[in-house]
Amino acid sequence: MASLCLNSLSLPPSSQPRKFIQTSLSSSLSSSSSSSSSSSIIDNNNNNHNIPNALKPIVVNGDPPSFVFAPGRRILAVGDLHGDLKKARLALEMAGVLSSDGQDLWTGGEAVLVQLGDILDRGEDEIAILSLLKSLGEQAKAEGGAIFQVNGNHETMNVEGDFRFVDSGGFDECDRFVEYINASEDAWDETFTSWLDVSERWKEDPTMSRSYWGPWDLVKRQKGVIARSILFRPGGPLARELSKHPVVLVVNDWVFCHGGLLPHHVEYGIERMNKEVSEWMRGLNENDNTLPFIATRGYDSVVWNRLYSRDSPDLVDYQAKQVSSILEETLQAVGAKAMVVGHTPQTIGVNCKYNCSIWRIDVGMSSGVLNSRPEVLEIIDNTARVIRSKRDSYIELQAAAYT
């Protein structure tokens, strides 16, 4: 670093271990798990990562990843985080993949973690969370595990330049991050993964607090907007990071997406959608700036769809049967057993519906949404259950009130 000396800064204080319980909400889906020996991870670039493990390698197809074969793995799914680093860490600790000593170490071994999108907006530590997941992903790969992120509607909104839901602290973080990039002499990956520590040191400086600048510092706010535009515009540094993640991911027999997959999405092509969104985020569509509409725009797009996750008191039996039929048709077309979605906060916590063919895991944990306690979905041998804290509490708000 040109102006920052990370080695001279102390680590954050260790957090106390937390106790969690595992709720036996489960779907009895039949399947088989593999446990024969191997010693590598194979990614879609045909790179082998030699590691000592007793499971078959994780095989990733597509760029960005679209289909993942992870035999014998424990799969964890975490919903919308919306810029709340504290809740993100708690969720990852509950999942058993993050150390609780403040060192931000991967403790998941060969597990696979899937984060369902909407890391951006409504909170002040968006880039820090992205940095944390990037670092953990590198550690996980070295141990035979993996982290996958799925882009949500708030990721696509920011790449589109829609900043309506950005927290004021989010603009501040973008301004600071651009300054840090400009001062860094390291390669991008090192700069990006080190941002989490740098950001936390910055927040400990009382002269840099939000109150120091004052709520009406319009010049500073304008700098934050410009910085965010530079970072997230198609081809920008953080847009390119987001482009590495799909909008739909199939892991073994499970579909993961932010809003919900529909039959016409499958017919269009999962890999095709992922590739089109990725190329748009990377700024490769120079002659055509049209957004990949089927994946990112419209009420029935992959990132906006709420068909499976919004329960209406006016939903009559035949409508529920229609939804169930659409879900079944979609899963059959993919060759999957169940789907996991986020996007719509569930005030009753993580839950399943339609014979547990759909799991809704957005609990609105961010302080910018419902400020509820985190919950994590765990899938082992195609049996799903919820990991939740002993002290759950939910604010009685309509889920439909949140984007």
Side-chain angles (χ1 to χ4, degrees):
M1 296 293 169
S3 59
L4 295 173
C5 183
L6 298 182
N7 293 332
S8 65
L9 300 173
S10 59
L11 290 169
S14 299
S15 57
Q16 295 297 321
R18 301 177 178 88
K19 296 181 180 179
F20 308 107
I21 59 173
Q22 296 177 328
T23 304
S24 58
L25 258 172
S26 63
S27 56
S28 7
L29 301 172
S30 62
S31 89
S32 61
S33 68
S34 303
S35 59
S36 51
S37 62
S38 183
S39 60
S40 64
I41 297 176
I42 303 174
D43 60 28
N44 53 355
N45 294 315
N46 293 320
N47 295 318
N48 288 348
H49 306 273
N50 294 323
I51 48 171
N53 64 72
L55 297 175
K56 287 184 177 180
I58 296 174
V59 180
V60 181
N61 294 311
D63 184 13
S66 296
F67 298 93
V68 175
F69 180 57
R73 264 42 175 217
R74 176 175 178 251
I75 301 172
L76 294 312
V78 174
D80 305 31
L81 299 175
H82 281 301
D84 192 325
L85 180 60
K86 181 179 179 180
K87 292 291 183 67
R89 279 193 170 119
L90 179 55
L92 297 176
E93 288 178 29
M94 291 173 65
V97 300
L98 178 69
S99 61
S100 59
D101 58 3
Q103 300 283 340
D104 292 328
L105 301 177
W106 172 260
T107 58
E110 296 173 301
V112 172
L113 173 72
V114 183
Q115 197 283 320
L116 268 290
D118 274 13
I119 291 173
L120 302 184
D121 291 342
R122 304 190 188 283
E124 62 181 20
D125 291 310
E126 307 152 289
I127 306 174
I129 295 174
L130 292 172
S131 173
L132 172 62
L133 292 176
K134 176 86 168 183
S135 174
L136 289 175
E138 294 173 353
Q139 297 176 51
K141 181 177 285 189
E143 295 189 26
I147 291 182
F148 299 98
Q149 294 169 237
V150 174
N151 284 321
N153 60 306
H154 284 268
E155 279 72 46
T156 61
M157 289 167 68
N158 274 269
V159 177
E160 191 181 358
D162 185 345
F163 299 156
R164 287 176 295 163
F165 299 98
V166 180
D167 184 86
S168 59
F171 285 119
D172 291 345
E173 187 187 29
C174 287
D175 186 23
R176 302 193 305 270
F177 186 57
V178 167
E179 291 180 3
Y180 179 60
I181 293 174
N182 291 335
S184 175
E185 297 178 355
D186 292 332
W188 165 254
D189 283 348
E190 288 76 10
T191 300
F192 185 39
T193 54
S194 64
W195 170 248
L196 173 62
D197 286 337
V198 174
S199 173
E200 294 191 306
R201 304 300 184 269
W202 183 95
K203 293 173 76 173
E204 291 173 1
D205 183 349
T207 66
M208 301 298 284
S209 67
R210 217 184 293 182
S211 60
Y212 173 82
W213 293 102
W216 300 107
D217 193 332
L218 299 181
V219 174
K220 178 173 171 53
R221 175 55 51 82
Q222 187 177 37
K223 284 181 61 182
V225 173
I226 293 172
R228 195 174 187 91
S229 299
I230 292 171
L231 292 170
F232 286 105
R233 67 188 178 193
L238 291 183
R240 290 197 302 270
E241 278 298 315
L242 296 178
S243 75
K244 299 174 183 178
H245 311 309
V247 291
V248 181
L249 181 71
V250 181
V251 181
N252 298 340
D253 297 325
W254 291 71
V255 178
F256 297 87
C257 56
H258 183 67
L261 195 67
L262 297 172
H264 72 278
H265 299 147
V266 182
E267 183 179 0
Y268 188 82
I270 291 175
E271 285 193 72
R272 180 182 176 186
M273 284 190 298
N274 287 337
K275 182 179 179 182
E276 289 179 354
V277 174
S278 177
E279 290 180 346
W280 165 63
M281 288 183 166
R282 288 153 59 195
L284 300 182
N285 303 336
E286 296 181 0
N287 299 323
D288 181 11
N289 292 322
T290 304
L291 277 71
F293 193 90
I294 192 171
T296 64
R297 297 295 295 273
Y299 71 93
D300 63 346
S301 64
V302 176
V303 301
W304 283 99
N305 180 26
R306 299 187 194 271
L307 182 66
Y308 306 129
S309 55
R310 175 182 286 166
D311 293 328
S312 170
D314 300 324
L315 192 67
V316 295
D317 287 343
Y318 83 89
Q319 289 175 317
K321 290 178 180 178
Q322 283 183 324
V323 174
S324 179
S325 177
I326 292 171
L327 175 60
E328 182 180 1
E329 181 183 350
T330 304
L331 293 175
Q332 287 180 351
V334 179
K337 296 182 181 295
M339 188 184 304
V340 184
V341 298
H343 189 40
T344 304
Q346 305 293 308
T347 57
I348 61 171
V350 172
N351 64 87
C352 66
K353 197 171 182 180
Y354 306 118
N355 296 319
C356 283
S357 291
I358 186 77
W359 284 85
R360 295 93 67 92
I361 70 168
D362 176 15
V363 296
M365 71 178 80
S366 170
S367 59
V369 185
L370 298 182
N371 198 28
S372 64
R373 294 188 179 276
E375 298 189 8
V376 177
L377 182 67
E378 177 188 64
I379 304 167
I380 300 178
D381 295 337
N382 272 350
T383 296
R385 61 179 177 177
V386 181
I387 302 173
R388 52 166 56 108
S389 170
K390 289 182 178 180
R391 300 170 303 191
D392 286 321
S393 62
Y394 298 94
I395 301 172
E396 293 299 327
L397 296 176
Q398 291 296 321
Y402 294 92
T403 301

